[in-house]
Amino acid sequence: MHKTDDTANVPEAFTALDLFGEPFALDPYPTLDALRQSSPVHHDPVTNLWLVSRYRDVRAVLLDPRTFHPDNAQQVAAPLTRRALLTLARARFTLPPALANNGGPTHRGLRALVTRFLDAHQVAAAVPLIDRTAEQLALDVREKIMVGAQCDLVKDFARVLPCRVLMELLGIRGVAPNALADWSDAALELFWGHPTPERQLHLVDQAIAFHAWLSAQVDGPATEGSLIAALRRHRLPDGTLLDPATAVSVCFFVFVAGHSTTGQLIATTLRRALEDGQAWRRATSEPGFAERWSDEVLRREPSVTSWRRTTTRDTTIGEVPVPAGAQLLLLLMSTGSDPEIFAEPEQLCPYRTNVRQHLSFGAGRHRCPGALLARTETARALRAAAYALPHLTLALDDTPPMLNLLSFRSPKRLLVQLG
Ligand code: HEM
């Protein structure tokens, strides 16, 4: 049964749907299951988003960039106050279409440029750095626990690793990793969250500081071999040099996409392995287990839970008519639990035959170019942590609060102790 309007037979489960609410953050699965079963293309009147939840529908949308444009991918998820908008405008804060939000002719070249920094060769070369960093962080955690200090695997481990690795890969210098991580998380919350007016002003300040720092990097002397040096030489299809505002936009998105998402996935992967009882040990004793475990977590509980597209014409998704200009929210997290594709989706089964069939990195023209890096970092982080801390357990009676942005979800903290 498909629903096409807001009033007719709206299942009770969806009338109180709050995509930013705590209940949805803590346990989104009942809602996602209900959507897939009874309203797979569902218009949410609160956000005016069309929620697309079945695997085959989401995949079809991702693979048809003519009908479904990515231009709305980075629009603010919830309206900003006039004051926040004015502050951004005064600071000349702008993010022209570059990568994820670029359906135009300049996308291909920019994507190729970024991909060169993230290809198999670059990731293989980064493995020693990833291992060294993960091992050192895990040992620091162990030392902290030994002296009786409380340890949070999100703050002390998951969030730090991708930031250090990304800075090295992209040739970023002259900024403290923590500052970069804070800017990146603030940008994520500003664009994909539902912050209060006061919080918006704080996040706006952070986003402006990040933007200003990037603008200064793009304007100043660039390190040879860095992303910024490559952007400054980049020519658009019409032969002109890339403008500085778009170069800043590329960097802004790559840093946010490359840092926050991976830290969130590492946090969820560690959490589920610690809860499982067996997985923590198997991560060190079974070759390939950590890689498969990370992919299963990506399928069932991805850090990027959804992604947006907009329709360029009247169309249908599945059998549901959708008008031109509709704002779609593709529920990637729901597709990973679609029983039509994944048997017993609620079980984490690292040896399922289609362990990599999930859509958690998107598909088609905009598919995540950082997928290999993210997978590699997550698996190696899990192995390093399990190896250095074989007797680690989650702190008793602690249900971690969840980061719940429109498209990002992960535990905000993971308190641990030695069991
Ligand atoms: C667990 C980690 C990650 C997840 C779950 C993730 C997920 C995604 C998703 C869903 C998209 C949109 C795909 C589409 O529209 O079809 C995307 C795009 C993108 N991601 Fe990732 N990503 C992750 C890590 C990374 C990393 C480490 C980098 C880079 C260092 C990165 C860079 C990008 C870029 C540049 C795009 C835009 C590509 C384009 O529009 O052509 N991501 N990612």
Side-chain angles (χ1 to χ4, degrees):
M1 181 175 56
H2 301 288
K3 301 289 184 305
T4 54
D5 72 53
D6 306 337
T7 49
N9 306 322
V10 177
E12 209 181 318
F14 315 137
T15 50
L17 176 61
D18 176 4
L19 293 169
F20 298 99
E22 209 185 329
F24 186 67
L26 285 175
D27 186 8
Y29 297 106
T31 308
L32 299 178
D33 292 348
L35 280 168
R36 263 193 330 274
Q37 277 158 27
S38 53
S39 191
V41 182
H42 178 81
H43 182 247
D44 175 33
V46 178
T47 53
N48 196 27
L49 290 166
W50 292 75
L51 313 182
V52 186
S53 50
R54 284 188 182 161
Y55 184 100
R56 64 181 131 106
D57 291 341
V58 169
R59 188 161 182 279
V61 169
L62 289 169
L63 295 180
D64 180 359
R66 275 172 193 263
T67 313
F68 305 102
H69 263 203
D71 308 24
N72 59 347
Q74 283 169 244
Q75 278 169 13
V76 283
L80 297 181
T81 60
R82 201 177 130 70
R83 196 163 159 209
L85 289 171
L86 271 175
T87 313
L88 287 168
R90 266 194 225 109
R92 296 175 196 276
F93 182 100
T94 143
L95 294 175
L99 290 162
N101 61 346
N102 185 358
T106 57
H107 169 259
R108 201 174 164 166
L110 289 171
R111 179 181 165 91
L113 182 154
V114 168
T115 304
R116 282 202 294 278
F117 287 82
L118 305 167
D119 64 16
H121 179 71
Q122 299 297 333
V123 174
V127 162
L129 168 74
I130 296 171
D131 285 346
R132 225 176 26 249
T133 313
E135 281 156 23
Q136 189 53 55
L137 289 169
L139 291 176
D140 293 348
V141 168
R142 190 168 73 184
E143 239 171 65
K144 228 172 146 179
I145 297 184
M146 294 297 217
V147 297
Q150 193 172 63
C151 236
D152 172 3
L153 281 187
V154 173
K155 181 164 69 65
D156 297 326
F157 187 84
R159 194 168 178 268
V160 191
L161 176 67
C163 193
R164 291 206 190 149
V165 171
L166 202 58
M167 287 180 74
E168 193 60 37
L169 270 179
L170 304 183
I172 305 168
R173 307 267 187 280
V175 63
N178 273 346
L180 202 59
D182 288 347
W183 282 339
S184 162
D185 286 347
L188 214 65
E189 189 182 340
L190 181 65
F191 286 100
W192 281 275
H194 201 301
T196 61
E198 297 72 44
R199 179 89 184 140
Q200 282 181 23
L201 293 180
H202 166 73
L203 297 173
V204 160
D205 284 348
Q206 295 269 308
I208 288 174
F210 187 16
H211 194 268
W213 183 78
L214 285 174
S215 302
Q217 301 304 302
V218 167
D219 286 345
T223 314
E224 200 39 49
S226 68
L227 174 65
I228 287 174
L231 286 166
R232 284 181 21 176
R233 279 198 297 268
H234 182 71
R235 291 199 178 267
L236 298 170
D238 64 4
T240 57
L241 276 174
L242 181 69
D243 57 290
T246 307
V248 169
S249 186
V250 170
C251 296
F252 194 96
F253 183 76
V254 171
F255 296 159
V256 172
H259 162 255
S260 302
T261 53
T262 312
Q264 291 160 5
L265 176 66
I266 293 173
T268 307
T269 301
L270 297 179
R271 176 188 188 184
R272 296 306 175 204
L274 283 166
E275 280 173 356
D276 179 77
Q278 300 290 320
W280 196 252
R281 183 187 50 74
R282 291 172 74 186
T284 54
S285 61
E286 258 175 67
F289 180 88
E291 282 74 8
R292 287 174 161 274
W293 183 263
S294 311
D295 255 301
E296 266 296 87
V297 173
L298 261 170
R299 170 189 69 75
R300 176 72 176 160
E301 204 171 1
S303 43
V304 182
T305 53
S306 66
W307 209 243
R308 280 174 287 176
R309 288 289 192 267
T310 179
T311 48
T312 55
R313 57 176 173 84
D314 290 351
T315 184
T316 53
I317 300 176
E319 291 151 33
V320 181
V322 177
Q327 307 291 310
L328 309 180
L329 187 70
L330 309 177
L331 297 171
L332 304 174
M333 183 171 180
S334 165
T335 65
S337 290
D338 189 337
E340 226 179 68
I341 308 294
F342 302 104
E344 298 185 30
E346 63 292 342
Q347 306 290 337
L348 293 181
C349 306
Y351 291 97
R352 66 170 75 238
T353 48
N354 59 350
V355 71
R356 281 192 162 200
Q357 205 186 334
H358 59 73
L359 299 174
S360 300
F361 289 118
R365 196 178 276 186
H366 292 269
R367 185 180 183 276
C368 179
L372 179 62
L373 176 63
R375 277 189 163 116
T376 306
E377 284 187 74
T378 307
R380 302 193 89 90
L382 170 59
R383 218 170 5 246
Y387 188 76
L389 299 152
H391 305 297
L392 199 69
T393 59
L394 290 169
L396 288 177
D397 301 330
D398 184 53
T399 307
M402 298 298 289
L403 174 77
N404 188 32
L405 309 180
L406 183 69
S407 295
F408 302 90
R409 176 179 177 275
S410 67
K412 283 189 187 169
R413 68 158 187 257
L414 277 185
L415 300 182
V416 285
Q417 62 198 17
L418 290 182

